[in-house]
Coordinates of all heavy atoms in Angstrom, one line a residue:
M29 N 28.3 60.1 -41.0 CA 27.4 60.0 -39.9 C 27.8 61.1 -38.8 O 28.9 61.3 -38.5 CB 27.5 58.6 -39.3 CG 26.5 58.5 -38.1 SD 26.6 56.8 -37.4 CE 25.0 56.3 -37.8
E30 N 26.8 61.7 -38.3 CA 27.0 62.8 -37.4 C 27.3 62.3 -36.0 O 26.6 61.4 -35.5 CB 25.8 63.7 -37.4 CG 25.9 65.0 -36.5 CD 24.6 65.8 -36.7 OE1 24.1 66.0 -37.8 OE2 24.1 66.2 -35.6
T31 N 28.2 62.8 -35.3 CA 28.5 62.4 -33.9 C 27.6 63.2 -33.0 O 27.4 64.4 -33.1 CB 30.0 62.8 -33.5 OG1 30.9 62.2 -34.5 CG2 30.3 62.4 -32.1
V32 N 27.0 62.4 -32.1 CA 26.0 63.0 -31.1 C 26.8 63.5 -29.9 O 27.6 62.7 -29.3 CB 25.0 61.9 -30.7 CG1 24.0 62.5 -29.7 CG2 24.2 61.5 -31.9
K33 N 26.6 64.7 -29.6 CA 27.3 65.3 -28.4 C 26.4 64.9 -27.1 O 25.2 65.0 -27.2 CB 27.4 66.8 -28.5 CG 28.5 67.2 -29.5 CD 28.6 68.7 -29.4 CE 29.6 69.2 -30.4 NZ 29.8 70.6 -30.4
K34 N 27.1 64.5 -26.1 CA 26.4 64.2 -24.9 C 26.9 65.1 -23.8 O 28.1 65.4 -23.7 CB 26.6 62.7 -24.5 CG 26.2 61.7 -25.5 CD 25.0 61.0 -25.1 CE 24.6 60.0 -26.2 NZ 23.5 59.2 -25.9
K35 N 26.0 65.4 -22.9 CA 26.4 66.3 -21.7 C 25.9 65.6 -20.5 O 24.8 65.1 -20.4 CB 25.8 67.7 -21.9 CG 26.3 68.7 -20.9 CD 25.9 70.1 -21.2 CE 26.5 71.0 -20.2 NZ 26.2 72.4 -20.5
Q36 N 26.7 65.7 -19.5 CA 26.4 65.0 -18.2 C 25.7 66.0 -17.3 O 26.0 67.2 -17.2 CB 27.7 64.6 -17.5 CG 27.5 63.6 -16.4 CD 28.9 63.1 -16.0 OE1 29.9 63.6 -16.3 NE2 28.8 62.0 -15.3
F37 N 24.6 65.6 -16.6 CA 23.8 66.4 -15.7 C 23.6 65.6 -14.4 O 23.3 64.4 -14.4 CB 22.4 66.7 -16.3 CG 22.5 67.7 -17.4 CD1 22.5 67.3 -18.7 CD2 22.4 69.0 -17.1 CE1 22.5 68.2 -19.8 CE2 22.4 70.0 -18.2 CZ 22.5 69.5 -19.5
P38 N 23.7 66.3 -13.3 CA 23.3 65.7 -12.0 C 21.8 65.7 -11.8 O 21.2 66.8 -11.9 CB 24.1 66.5 -11.0 CG 24.2 67.9 -11.6 CD 24.2 67.6 -13.1
F39 N 21.2 64.6 -11.5 CA 19.8 64.6 -11.2 C 19.6 63.8 -9.9 O 20.4 63.0 -9.5 CB 19.0 63.8 -12.3 CG 18.9 64.5 -13.6 CD1 19.7 64.1 -14.6 CD2 18.0 65.5 -13.7 CE1 19.6 64.8 -15.8 CE2 17.9 66.2 -14.9 CZ 18.7 65.8 -16.0
R40 N 18.5 64.1 -9.2 CA 18.2 63.4 -7.9 C 16.9 62.7 -8.1 O 15.9 63.4 -8.5 CB 18.2 64.4 -6.8 CG 19.5 65.0 -6.5 CD 19.5 65.9 -5.2 NE 20.8 66.4 -5.0 CZ 21.1 67.5 -4.4 NH1 20.1 68.2 -3.9 NH2 22.3 67.9 -4.3
F41 N 16.9 61.4 -7.8 CA 15.6 60.7 -7.9 C 15.4 59.9 -6.6 O 16.3 59.5 -5.9 CB 15.7 59.6 -9.1 CG 15.8 60.3 -10.4 CD1 17.0 60.3 -11.1 CD2 14.7 60.8 -11.1 CE1 17.2 60.9 -12.4 CE2 14.8 61.4 -12.3 CZ 16.0 61.4 -13.0
D42 N 14.1 59.6 -6.4 CA 13.8 58.7 -5.3 C 14.5 57.4 -5.4 O 14.5 56.8 -6.5 CB 12.2 58.6 -5.3 CG 11.8 57.7 -4.2 OD1 11.7 56.5 -4.4 OD2 11.4 58.2 -3.1
E43 N 15.0 56.8 -4.3 CA 15.8 55.6 -4.4 C 14.9 54.4 -4.9 O 15.4 53.6 -5.7 CB 16.3 55.2 -3.1 CG 17.5 56.1 -2.7 CD 18.1 55.7 -1.3 OE1 17.9 54.6 -0.9 OE2 18.8 56.6 -0.7
E44 N 13.6 54.4 -4.5 CA 12.8 53.3 -5.0 C 12.5 53.4 -6.5 O 12.4 52.4 -7.2 CB 11.5 53.3 -4.2 CG 11.6 52.9 -2.7 CD 10.3 52.9 -2.0 OE1 9.2 52.9 -2.6 OE2 10.4 52.9 -0.7
L45 N 12.4 54.6 -6.9 CA 12.1 54.9 -8.4 C 13.4 54.4 -9.1 O 13.2 53.7 -10.2 CB 11.9 56.3 -8.6 CG 11.8 56.7 -10.1 CD1 10.6 56.0 -10.8 CD2 11.6 58.2 -10.2
I46 N 14.5 54.7 -8.7 CA 15.8 54.3 -9.4 C 15.9 52.8 -9.4 O 16.2 52.2 -10.5 CB 17.0 54.9 -8.7 CG1 17.1 56.4 -9.1 CG2 18.3 54.2 -9.2 CD1 17.3 56.7 -10.6
E47 N 15.5 52.1 -8.3 CA 15.6 50.6 -8.3 C 14.6 50.0 -9.3 O 14.9 49.1 -10.0 CB 15.3 50.1 -6.9 CG 16.5 50.4 -5.9 CD 17.8 50.0 -6.4 OE1 18.0 48.8 -6.9 OE2 18.8 50.8 -6.4
A48 N 13.4 50.6 -9.4 CA 12.4 50.1 -10.4 C 12.9 50.4 -11.8 O 12.7 49.5 -12.7 CB 11.1 50.8 -10.1
I49 N 13.5 51.5 -12.0 CA 14.0 51.8 -13.4 C 15.2 50.9 -13.7 O 15.3 50.4 -14.9 CB 14.5 53.3 -13.5 CG1 13.3 54.2 -13.3 CG2 15.2 53.6 -14.8 CD1 13.6 55.7 -13.2
K50 N 16.0 50.6 -12.8 CA 17.1 49.7 -13.0 C 16.6 48.3 -13.4 O 17.2 47.7 -14.3 CB 18.0 49.5 -11.8 CG 18.9 50.7 -11.5 CD 19.8 50.4 -10.3 CE 20.7 51.6 -10.0 NZ 21.5 51.4 -8.8
E51 N 15.6 47.8 -12.8 CA 15.0 46.5 -13.1 C 14.4 46.6 -14.6 O 14.6 45.6 -15.3 CB 13.9 46.2 -12.1 CG 14.4 45.8 -10.8 CD 13.3 45.4 -9.8 OE1 12.2 45.0 -10.3 OE2 13.5 45.6 -8.6
K52 N 13.7 47.6 -14.9 CA 13.2 47.7 -16.3 C 14.3 47.8 -17.3 O 14.2 47.1 -18.3 CB 12.3 49.0 -16.4 CG 11.1 49.0 -15.5 CD 10.0 48.2 -16.1 CE 9.1 49.1 -16.9 NZ 7.9 48.4 -17.4
A53 N 15.3 48.5 -17.0 CA 16.5 48.6 -17.9 C 17.1 47.3 -18.1 O 17.4 46.9 -19.2 CB 17.5 49.7 -17.4
K54 N 17.3 46.6 -17.0 CA 17.9 45.2 -17.1 C 17.1 44.3 -17.9 O 17.6 43.5 -18.7 CB 18.2 44.7 -15.7 CG 18.9 43.4 -15.6 CD 19.1 43.0 -14.2 CE 19.9 41.6 -14.1 NZ 20.1 41.2 -12.8
A55 N 15.8 44.3 -17.7 CA 14.9 43.5 -18.4 C 14.9 43.7 -20.0 O 14.7 42.8 -20.7 CB 13.4 43.6 -18.0
Q56 N 15.3 44.9 -20.3 CA 15.4 45.3 -21.8 C 16.9 45.2 -22.2 O 17.2 45.6 -23.3 CB 14.8 46.7 -22.0 CG 13.3 46.7 -21.9 CD 12.7 48.0 -22.3 OE1 13.4 48.8 -23.0 NE2 11.5 48.3 -21.9
K57 N 17.7 44.7 -21.3 CA 19.2 44.6 -21.6 C 19.8 46.0 -22.1 O 20.5 46.1 -23.0 CB 19.4 43.6 -22.7 CG 19.1 42.2 -22.3 CD 19.3 41.2 -23.3 CE 19.1 39.7 -23.0 NZ 18.1 39.4 -22.0
R58 N 19.4 47.0 -21.3 CA 19.9 48.4 -21.5 C 20.6 48.9 -20.3 O 20.3 48.4 -19.2 CB 18.7 49.3 -21.8 CG 17.9 49.0 -23.1 CD 16.8 50.1 -23.2 NE 16.0 49.9 -24.4 CZ 16.3 50.3 -25.6 NH1 17.4 51.0 -25.7 NH2 15.6 50.1 -26.6
S59 N 21.5 49.8 -20.5 CA 22.1 50.5 -19.4 C 21.0 51.4 -18.7 O 20.0 51.8 -19.4 CB 23.3 51.3 -19.8 OG 22.9 52.4 -20.6
L60 N 21.2 51.8 -17.5 CA 20.3 52.7 -16.8 C 20.2 54.0 -17.6 O 19.1 54.5 -17.9 CB 20.8 53.0 -15.4 CG 20.0 54.0 -14.6 CD1 18.5 53.5 -14.4 CD2 20.6 54.3 -13.3
N61 N 21.4 54.5 -18.0 CA 21.4 55.8 -18.8 C 20.7 55.7 -20.1 O 19.9 56.5 -20.4 CB 22.9 56.1 -19.1 CG 23.0 57.5 -19.6 OD1 23.0 58.5 -18.9 ND2 23.2 57.6 -21.0
N62 N 20.9 54.6 -20.8 CA 20.2 54.4 -22.1 C 18.7 54.3 -21.9 O 18.0 54.8 -22.7 CB 20.8 53.2 -22.9 CG 20.1 52.9 -24.2 OD1 19.2 52.1 -24.2 ND2 20.5 53.7 -25.2
Y63 N 18.3 53.5 -20.9 CA 16.9 53.3 -20.7 C 16.2 54.7 -20.4 O 15.1 55.0 -21.0 CB 16.7 52.4 -19.5 CG 15.2 52.1 -19.3 CD1 14.5 51.2 -20.1 CD2 14.5 52.7 -18.2 CE1 13.2 51.0 -19.9 CE2 13.2 52.4 -18.0 CZ 12.5 51.5 -18.9 OH 11.2 51.3 -18.7
I64 N 16.8 55.5 -19.6 CA 16.2 56.8 -19.3 C 16.2 57.7 -20.5 O 15.2 58.4 -20.8 CB 17.0 57.5 -18.1 CG1 16.7 56.7 -16.8 CG2 16.6 58.9 -17.9 CD1 17.5 57.1 -15.6
E65 N 17.3 57.6 -21.3 CA 17.4 58.4 -22.5 C 16.2 58.0 -23.5 O 15.6 58.9 -24.1 CB 18.7 58.3 -23.2 CG 19.0 59.2 -24.3 CD 20.4 59.1 -24.8 OE1 21.0 58.0 -24.8 OE2 20.9 60.2 -25.2
V66 N 16.0 56.7 -23.6 CA 14.9 56.2 -24.5 C 13.6 56.7 -24.0 O 12.8 57.2 -24.8 CB 15.0 54.7 -24.6 CG1 13.7 54.1 -25.2 CG2 16.2 54.2 -25.4
L67 N 13.3 56.7 -22.7 CA 12.1 57.2 -22.2 C 11.9 58.7 -22.5 O 10.8 59.1 -22.8 CB 12.0 56.9 -20.7 CG 11.9 55.5 -20.2 CD1 11.9 55.5 -18.7 CD2 10.6 54.9 -20.7
L68 N 13.0 59.4 -22.3 CA 12.9 60.9 -22.6 C 12.6 61.2 -24.1 O 11.8 62.0 -24.4 CB 14.2 61.6 -22.1 CG 14.3 61.6 -20.6 CD1 15.7 62.1 -20.2 CD2 13.3 62.5 -20.0
Y69 N 13.3 60.4 -24.9 CA 13.0 60.6 -26.4 C 11.6 60.3 -26.7 O 11.0 60.9 -27.5 CB 14.0 59.7 -27.2 CG 15.3 60.4 -27.6 CD1 16.5 59.9 -27.2 CD2 15.3 61.6 -28.4 CE1 17.7 60.5 -27.5 CE2 16.4 62.2 -28.7 CZ 17.6 61.7 -28.3 OH 18.8 62.3 -28.6
K70 N 11.0 59.2 -26.1 CA 9.6 58.9 -26.4 C 8.7 60.0 -25.9 O 7.7 60.3 -26.6 CB 9.3 57.6 -25.6 CG 9.8 56.4 -26.3 CD 9.4 55.1 -25.5 CE 9.9 53.9 -26.2 NZ 9.5 52.6 -25.4
D71 N 9.0 60.7 -24.8 CA 8.2 61.7 -24.3 C 8.4 63.0 -25.1 O 7.4 63.7 -25.5 CB 8.5 62.0 -22.8 CG 7.5 63.0 -22.2 OD1 6.3 62.8 -22.3 OD2 8.0 64.1 -21.8
V72 N 9.6 63.4 -25.4 CA 9.9 64.6 -26.1 C 9.8 64.4 -27.6 O 9.4 65.4 -28.3 CB 11.4 65.1 -25.7 CG1 11.8 66.3 -26.5 CG2 11.5 65.4 -24.3
G73 N 10.1 63.3 -28.1 CA 10.1 63.0 -29.5 C 11.5 63.0 -30.0 O 12.4 63.6 -29.4
N74 N 11.7 62.2 -31.1 CA 13.1 62.2 -31.6 C 13.4 63.5 -32.2 O 12.6 64.1 -33.0 CB 13.2 61.1 -32.7 CG 13.2 59.7 -32.0 OD1 13.8 59.5 -31.0 ND2 12.5 58.7 -32.6
I75 N 14.6 64.0 -31.9 CA 15.1 65.3 -32.5 C 15.9 65.0 -33.7 O 16.9 64.2 -33.6 CB 15.9 66.0 -31.4 CG1 15.1 66.2 -30.2 CG2 16.5 67.3 -32.0 CD1 15.8 66.7 -28.9
P76 N 15.5 65.5 -34.9 CA 16.2 65.1 -36.1 C 17.6 65.7 -36.2 O 17.8 66.8 -35.7 CB 15.3 65.7 -37.2 CG 14.5 66.7 -36.5 CD 14.3 66.3 -35.1
N77 N 18.5 64.9 -36.8 CA 19.9 65.4 -37.0 C 19.9 66.4 -38.2 O 18.8 66.6 -38.8 CB 20.9 64.3 -37.1 CG 20.6 63.4 -38.3 OD1 19.9 63.9 -39.3 ND2 21.1 62.2 -38.3
E78 N 21.0 67.0 -38.5 CA 21.1 68.0 -39.6 C 20.7 67.4 -40.9 O 20.0 68.0 -41.7 CB 22.5 68.6 -39.6 CG 22.8 69.5 -38.4 CD 21.8 70.6 -38.2 OE1 21.4 71.2 -39.1 OE2 21.3 70.7 -37.0
E79 N 21.1 66.2 -41.2 CA 20.8 65.5 -42.5 C 19.3 65.3 -42.6 O 18.7 65.6 -43.7 CB 21.5 64.2 -42.6 CG 21.3 63.5 -43.9 CD 22.0 62.2 -44.1 OE1 22.7 61.7 -43.1 OE2 21.9 61.5 -45.1
T80 N 18.7 64.9 -41.6 CA 17.2 64.7 -41.6 C 16.5 66.1 -41.7 O 15.5 66.2 -42.5 CB 16.7 64.0 -40.3 OG1 17.4 62.7 -40.2 CG2 15.2 63.7 -40.3
K81 N 17.0 67.1 -41.1 CA 16.4 68.4 -41.2 C 16.5 68.9 -42.6 O 15.5 69.5 -43.1 CB 17.1 69.4 -40.3 CG 16.8 69.2 -38.8 CD 17.6 70.2 -38.0 CE 17.4 70.0 -36.5 NZ 18.3 70.9 -35.7
R82 N 17.6 68.7 -43.3 CA 17.7 69.1 -44.7 C 16.8 68.3 -45.6 O 16.1 68.9 -46.5 CB 19.2 68.9 -45.2 CG 20.2 69.9 -44.7 CD 21.5 69.8 -45.4 NE 22.2 68.5 -45.2 CZ 22.9 68.2 -44.2 NH1 23.2 69.1 -43.2 NH2 23.5 67.0 -44.1
A83 N 16.6 67.0 -45.3 CA 15.7 66.2 -46.1 C 14.2 66.7 -45.9 O 13.5 66.7 -46.9 CB 15.8 64.7 -45.7
I84 N 13.9 67.0 -44.7 CA 12.5 67.5 -44.4 C 12.3 68.8 -45.2 O 11.3 69.0 -45.8 CB 12.3 67.7 -42.9 CG1 12.3 66.4 -42.2 CG2 11.1 68.5 -42.6 CD1 12.4 66.5 -40.7
E85 N 13.3 69.7 -45.2 CA 13.2 71.0 -45.9 C 13.1 70.8 -47.4 O 12.2 71.4 -48.0 CB 14.4 71.9 -45.5 CG 14.3 73.3 -46.0 CD 13.1 74.0 -45.4 OE1 12.8 73.8 -44.3 OE2 12.6 74.9 -46.1
D86 N 13.8 69.8 -47.9 CA 13.7 69.5 -49.3 C 12.3 69.0 -49.7 O 11.8 69.4 -50.7 CB 14.8 68.4 -49.8 CG 16.2 69.0 -49.8 OD1 16.4 70.2 -49.7 OD2 17.1 68.1 -49.8
A87 N 11.8 68.1 -48.9 CA 10.5 67.6 -49.1 C 9.4 68.7 -49.0 O 8.5 68.8 -49.9 CB 10.1 66.5 -48.1
R88 N 9.6 69.6 -48.1 CA 8.6 70.7 -48.0 C 8.7 71.6 -49.2 O 7.7 72.2 -49.6 CB 8.9 71.5 -46.7 CG 8.4 70.8 -45.5 CD 8.7 71.6 -44.2 NE 8.2 70.8 -43.0 CZ 8.6 70.9 -41.8 NH1 9.6 71.8 -41.6 NH2 8.1 70.2 -40.8
N89 N 9.9 71.8 -49.8 CA 10.1 72.6 -51.0 C 9.7 71.9 -52.3 O 9.9 72.5 -53.3 CB 11.5 73.2 -51.0 CG 11.8 74.1 -49.9 OD1 10.9 74.8 -49.4 ND2 13.0 74.2 -49.4
G90 N 9.3 70.6 -52.2 CA 9.0 69.9 -53.4 C 10.2 69.3 -54.1 O 10.1 68.9 -55.2
D91 N 11.4 69.4 -53.5 CA 12.6 69.0 -54.1 C 12.9 67.5 -53.8 O 13.8 67.2 -53.1 CB 13.8 69.8 -53.6 CG 15.1 69.5 -54.4 OD1 15.1 68.9 -55.4 OD2 16.2 69.9 -53.8
V92 N 12.0 66.6 -54.3 CA 12.1 65.2 -54.1 C 12.0 64.4 -55.3 O 11.4 64.9 -56.3 CB 11.0 64.8 -53.1 CG1 11.2 65.4 -51.7 CG2 9.6 65.1 -53.6
E93 N 12.5 63.2 -55.3 CA 12.4 62.3 -56.5 C 11.1 61.5 -56.3 O 10.8 60.9 -55.3 CB 13.6 61.4 -56.5 CG 13.5 60.3 -57.5 CD 14.7 59.3 -57.5 OE1 15.5 59.5 -56.6 OE2 14.6 58.4 -58.2
V94 N 10.3 61.6 -57.3 CA 9.0 60.8 -57.3 C 9.3 59.4 -57.8 O 10.0 59.1 -58.8 CB 7.9 61.4 -58.3 CG1 6.7 60.6 -58.3 CG2 7.6 62.8 -57.8
I95 N 8.9 58.4 -57.0 CA 9.2 57.0 -57.3 C 7.8 56.3 -57.6 O 7.0 56.2 -56.8 CB 9.8 56.3 -56.0 CG1 11.1 57.0 -55.7 CG2 10.0 54.8 -56.3 CD1 11.7 56.6 -54.4
D96 N 7.7 56.0 -58.9 CA 6.4 55.4 -59.3 C 6.5 53.9 -59.1 O 5.4 53.2 -59.0 CB 6.2 55.7 -60.8 CG 5.9 57.2 -61.1 OD1 5.2 57.8 -60.2 OD2 6.5 57.7 -62.1
N97 N 7.7 53.3 -59.2 CA 7.8 51.8 -59.1 C 8.8 51.5 -58.0 O 10.1 51.5 -58.2 CB 8.3 51.2 -60.4 CG 8.5 49.7 -60.4 OD1 8.5 49.1 -59.3 ND2 8.7 49.1 -61.5
L98 N 8.4 51.3 -56.8 CA 9.3 51.1 -55.7 C 10.2 49.9 -55.9 O 11.4 49.9 -55.6 CB 8.5 50.9 -54.4 CG 9.3 50.7 -53.1 CD1 10.3 51.9 -52.9 CD2 8.4 50.5 -51.9
D99 N 9.7 48.8 -56.4 CA 10.5 47.6 -56.6 C 11.6 47.8 -57.6 O 12.8 47.5 -57.3 CB 9.6 46.4 -57.1 CG 8.7 45.9 -56.0 OD1 9.1 45.9 -54.8 OD2 7.6 45.4 -56.3
G100 N 11.3 48.5 -58.6 CA 12.3 48.9 -59.6 C 13.3 49.8 -59.1 O 14.6 49.7 -59.3
W101 N 12.9 50.8 -58.3 CA 13.8 51.7 -57.7 C 14.8 51.0 -56.7 O 16.0 51.3 -56.7 CB 13.0 52.8 -56.9 CG 13.9 53.9 -56.3 CD1 14.4 55.0 -57.0 CD2 14.2 54.0 -55.0 NE1 15.1 55.7 -56.1 CE2 15.0 55.1 -54.8 CE3 14.0 53.2 -53.8 CZ2 15.5 55.5 -53.6 CZ3 14.5 53.6 -52.6 CH2 15.3 54.8 -52.5
L102 N 14.2 50.1 -55.9 CA 15.0 49.3 -54.9 C 16.0 48.4 -55.7 O 17.2 48.3 -55.2 CB 14.2 48.5 -54.0 CG 13.3 49.3 -53.0 CD1 12.4 48.4 -52.3 CD2 14.2 50.0 -52.0
D103 N 15.6 47.9 -56.8 CA 16.6 47.0 -57.6 C 17.7 47.8 -58.1 O 18.8 47.3 -58.2 CB 15.8 46.4 -58.7 CG 14.9 45.3 -58.3 OD1 15.0 44.7 -57.2 OD2 14.0 44.9 -59.1
E104 N 17.5 49.1 -58.4 CA 18.6 50.0 -58.9 C 19.6 50.3 -57.9 O 20.7 50.7 -58.2 CB 18.0 51.2 -59.5 CG 17.2 51.0 -60.8 CD 16.6 52.3 -61.3 OE1 17.0 53.4 -60.9 OE2 15.7 52.2 -62.2
L105 N 19.2 50.2 -56.6 CA 20.1 50.6 -55.5 C 21.2 49.5 -55.5 O 22.1 49.2 -55.3 CB 19.4 50.6 -54.2 CG 18.5 51.8 -54.0 CD1 17.8 51.7 -52.6 CD2 19.2 53.1 -54.1

């Protein structure tokens, strides 16, 4: 599993906005940081990691296993 690098940035927000965000984060049992990060990912879109990028490239090149019987394939796992 790939380790995600995080970088700290200073931001300035309106105090009332921060209080509203804290309430929303608390209601979802998230930290303030995690809640804001989730909102940003929803807006920007999930950025694929290197393994996912390779899988996407393989699929685009036709280098994929065709599964005719999903139940049988899952049983083999």
Side-chain angles (χ1 to χ4, degrees):
M29 180 180 244
E30 186 177 314
T31 303
V32 177
K33 290 184 179 179
K34 303 250 180 178
K35 187 168 183 175
Q36 197 170 17
F37 287 94
F39 290 102
R40 294 186 181 153
F41 295 104
D42 179 273
E43 288 182 22
E44 290 180 17
L45 175 61
I46 286 295
E47 290 308 313
I49 293 171
K50 284 180 181 179
E51 287 180 28
K52 296 281 265 184
K54 185 177 179 180
Q56 292 189 16
K57 296 181 177 26
R58 296 180 180 275
S59 68
L60 176 64
N61 189 79
N62 178 260
Y63 183 75
I64 292 172
E65 189 173 34
V66 167
L67 291 177
L68 290 171
Y69 270 119
K70 283 181 181 178
D71 185 58
V72 174
N74 286 322
I75 301 168
N77 62 22
E78 292 306 313
E79 182 179 2
T80 303
K81 288 177 185 177
R82 286 191 299 273
I84 291 169
E85 189 62 29
D86 288 346
R88 286 181 177 153
N89 292 331
D91 186 16
V92 294
E93 176 185 355
V94 176
I95 301 169
D96 295 321
N97 178 351
L98 181 59
D99 290 329
W101 183 80
L102 290 172
D103 289 340
E104 290 178 15
L105 291 178

